[in-house]
């Protein structure tokens, strides 16, 4: 299938690393593994930090001009995609280009990862909210990355009186596991040496990341009578505030590392710990499991769908430091659990979250979107 692709939230060649950029790149790789021919239609970025009617109407105007430019170029070239695919849209990053081109060339339109906050229907983000909603109405297929996000989209189908079963599905996130096998990773032993080596990875910015570090620090303060050492990977404006909350003789701070160097760190440790406050799902949780580490994490949003509680790690109620400490205490008191969780995590990653598994889920999603488009065409023909 010839697929035209765009990512209005962040272009895939954006120099700033992020989970959004990583997931977008992985989607392209999975599509190519599935035999699809992918073309980046545009790197136009509709995302804006601040709202306002005038500002967003200007973005919409520029986006539609870009769509016209692309359409004219495709016409001259004789190119027509089989489907237009957009990754990640919401009120701050609506997609006006994909629907316009899908209409012009009369092809299916599909979306992977759409967020919808109904409180943005009015106010400074109203134009962006409407733009995102219009894209969802046009979409022949909508994929969420986990069921928590999927459930947040159900009100859209109620409001538009349409059947979510025909267009909405969950496509779980995935990783290229070959990168983790290439670092010589050995599974943690079933009896880790004391002290247990813990690892956490997270940016040190204001908001949910700092809140996660604070929960972790509070949990570890309840475990000072147990043997553990923590390695912290990350940096940011809240570095001093965050690091001051941990006992300095029991942590090693490595600063911000490149993705390649972070991967090297995982197998040096016994257990990954991250409270995951308001975490959509967390690539670091996937990477840790791919490296053979069990995980202690917060039971937030999509996290329960990327790790099996009690099998590949343990989940604590989101934001509850004492409950997080209790889960971690279970492993500190029975260190063999770390190795057991790590082995189970690697197996689950291969079965559920590998690039090949992701390619198969994406292929099924695109075929369902194409099927919906074809049925829609038939219904429209009958109504003429």
């Amino acid at each position: 299938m010839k697929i035209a692709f765009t990512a209005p939230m962040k272009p895939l060649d954006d120099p700033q690393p992020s989970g959004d950029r990583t997931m977008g790149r992985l989607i392209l790789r999975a599509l190519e593994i599935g035999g699809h021919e992918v073309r980046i239609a545009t790197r136009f970025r509709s995302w804006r930090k601040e709202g306002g009617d005038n500002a967003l109407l200007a973005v919409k105007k520029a986006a539609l001009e870009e769509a016209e430019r692309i359409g004219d170029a495709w016409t001259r070239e004789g190119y027509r995609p089989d489907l237009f695919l957009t990754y990640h849209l919401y009120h701050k990053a609506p997609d006006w280009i994909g629907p316009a081109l899908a209409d012009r060339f009369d092809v299916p339109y599909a979306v992977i990862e759409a967020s919808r906050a109904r409180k943005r229907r009015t106010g400074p983000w109203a134009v962006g909210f409407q733009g995102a909603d219009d894209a969802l109405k046009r979409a022949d297929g909508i994929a969420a990355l986990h069921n928590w996000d999927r459930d947040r989209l159900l009100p859209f189908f109620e409001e538009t009186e349409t059947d979510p079963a025909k267009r909405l599905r969950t496509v779980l996130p995935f990783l290229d596991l070959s990168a983790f096998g290439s670092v010589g990773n050995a599974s943690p032993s079933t009896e880790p040496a004391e002290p247990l080596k813990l690892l956490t990875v997270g940016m040190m910015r204001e908001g949910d990341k700092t809140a996660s570090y604070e929960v972790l620090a509070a949990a570890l303060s309840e475990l000072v009578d147990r043997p553990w050492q923590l390695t912290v990977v990350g940096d940011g404006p809240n570095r001093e505030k965050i690091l001051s909350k941990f006992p300095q003789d029991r942590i090693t701070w490595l600063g911000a590392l490149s993705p390649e160097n972070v991967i090297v760190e995982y197998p040096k440790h016994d257990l990954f710990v991250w409270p995951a406050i308001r975490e959509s799902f967390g690539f670091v949780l996937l990477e840790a499991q791919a490296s053979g580490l069990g995980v202690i994490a917060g039971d937030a949003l999509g996290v329960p769908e990327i790790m099996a509680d009690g099998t590949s790690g343990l989940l604590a109620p989101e934001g509850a430091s004492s409950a997080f400490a209790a889960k971690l205490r279970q492993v500190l008191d029975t260190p063999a659990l770390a190795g057991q969780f790590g082995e189970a995590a690697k197996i689950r990653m291969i079965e559920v979250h590998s690039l090949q598994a992701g390619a198969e889920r994406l292929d099924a999603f695109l075929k369902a979107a194409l099927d919906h488009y074809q049925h829609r065409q038939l219904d429209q023909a009958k109504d003429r």
Side-chain angles (χ1 to χ4, degrees), residues 23 44 46 48 59 74 98 107 126 136 144 166 172 187 192 194 219 229 254 263 277-278 284 304 327 340 353 374-375:
M23 191 71 241
F44 183 92
S46 65
R48 292 297 182 272
V59 177
W74 285 0
V107 298
L136 293 179
K166 294 181 178 179
L172 293 172
S187 300
E194 291 188 354
Q229 284 288 325
L254 300 182
I263 289 174
I277 302 293
R278 302 301 296 170
V284 291
K327 299 293 184 179
Q340 294 169 21
H353 298 289
Q374 292 171 341
H375 280 88

Side-chain angles (χ1 to χ4, degrees), residues 5 7 45 71 80 82 104 106 113 121 124 134 138 148 157 181 203 225 279 314 316 323 327 341 364 367:
F5 179 91
R45 189 183 191 192
R80 179 181 182 273
D82 298 311
R104 175 168 173 173
D106 194 17
E113 194 171 358
R121 189 191 302 273
D134 288 343
R138 175 59 176 83
W148 191 93
F157 290 89
M203 297 173 67
D225 59 335
E279 197 86 57
L314 297 172
K327 299 293 184 179
F341 287 155
K367 287 178 179 176

Side-chain angles (χ1 to χ4, degrees), residues 172-201:
L172 293 172
F174 46 86
L175 282 181
D176 181 359
L177 301 184
S178 65
F180 299 87
S182 66
V183 297
N185 175 41
S187 300
S189 66
T190 55
E191 292 290 346
E194 291 188 354
L196 205 68
K197 297 185 292 296
L198 311 178
L199 174 67
T200 196
V201 179

Side-chain angles (χ1 to χ4, degrees), residues 28-356:
L28 253 65
R29 294 187 63 187
L31 290 172
E32 291 167 351
I33 285 175
H36 301 287
E37 178 188 311
V38 185
R39 172 184 291 206
I40 305 296
T42 178
R43 64 181 312 279
F44 183 92
R45 189 183 191 192
S46 65
W47 182 86
R48 292 297 182 272
K49 183 178 181 179
E50 304 294 338
D53 288 357
N54 291 337
L56 294 176
L57 286 171
V59 177
K60 178 180 180 179
K61 180 177 182 292
L64 292 176
E65 289 173 350
E66 174 73 349
E68 184 175 3
R69 182 194 67 78
I70 295 167
D72 290 345
W74 285 0
T75 299
R76 290 192 299 270
E77 181 187 345
Y79 174 78
R80 179 181 182 273
D82 298 311
L83 179 144
F84 197 104
L85 178 64
T86 293
Y87 169 61
H88 204 169
L89 63 85
Y90 71 124
H91 62 271
K92 286 189 176 182
D95 180 26
W96 288 290
I97 293 176
L101 288 171
D103 284 345
R104 175 168 173 173
F105 290 89
D106 194 17
V107 298
Y109 174 68
V111 175
I112 298 175
E113 194 171 358
S115 302
R116 189 172 186 264
R118 285 184 287 178
K119 65 182 179 181
R120 303 301 184 186
R121 189 191 302 273
T122 59
W125 293 105
V127 172
F129 180 92
Q130 188 60 54
D133 254 25
D134 288 343
L136 293 179
K137 291 172 186 174
R138 175 59 176 83
D140 293 289
I142 304 168
L145 290 179
H146 46 78
N147 287 327
W148 191 93
D149 267 356
R150 179 189 182 279
D151 291 346
R152 304 289 80 73
L153 291 171
L154 291 177
F156 165 80
F157 290 89
E158 295 171 2
E159 294 166 17
T160 56
E161 297 182 348
T162 53
D163 184 2
K166 294 181 178 179
R167 294 194 290 151
L168 179 63
R169 63 172 58 201
T170 299
V171 178
L172 293 172
F174 46 86
L175 282 181
D176 181 359
L177 301 184
S178 65
F180 299 87
S182 66
V183 297
N185 175 41
S187 300
S189 66
T190 55
E191 292 290 346
E194 291 188 354
L196 205 68
K197 297 185 292 296
L198 311 178
L199 174 67
T200 196
V201 179
M203 297 173 67
M204 295 179 172
R205 61 174 182 240
E206 197 61 58
D208 296 334
K209 297 296 186 185
T210 292
S212 292
Y213 275 114
E214 289 173 342
V215 170
L216 178 59
L220 289 173
S221 72
E222 299 184 28
L223 301 169
V224 291
D225 59 335
R226 264 57 171 199
W228 56 266
Q229 284 288 325
L230 174 69
T231 300
V232 180
V233 175
D235 203 351
N238 278 13
R239 178 183 69 212
E240 291 185 9
K241 173 184 176 181
I242 289 169
L243 293 180
S244 69
K245 296 182 179 297
F246 296 91
Q248 299 305 296
D249 61 335
R250 301 186 76 168
I251 68 166
T252 300
W253 174 62
L254 300 182
L257 299 179
S258 68
E260 296 78 13
N261 287 331
V262 174
I263 289 174
V264 173
E265 287 302 314
Y266 289 116
K268 298 177 183 177
H269 296 82
D270 302 309
L271 191 69
F272 191 83
V273 291
W274 183 241
I277 302 293
R278 302 301 296 170
E279 197 86 57
S280 176
F281 60 86
F283 267 105
V284 291
L285 300 178
L286 287 174
E287 291 175 351
Q289 293 178 90
S291 301
L293 292 188
V295 172
I296 308 295
D299 190 353
L301 308 188
V303 173
E305 295 172 61
I306 65 163
M307 61 165 289
D309 187 23
T311 301
S312 56
L314 297 172
L315 292 175
E318 184 182 10
S321 59
S322 291
F324 197 93
K327 299 293 184 179
L328 182 50
R329 187 180 294 111
Q330 290 183 40
V331 184
L332 293 173
D333 289 348
T334 311
L337 283 175
Q340 294 169 21
F341 287 155
E343 285 297 322
K346 290 183 71 173
I347 293 170
R348 179 176 171 80
M349 287 297 300
I350 293 169
E351 293 177 346
V352 181
H353 298 289
S354 68
L355 196 59
Q356 184 59 46

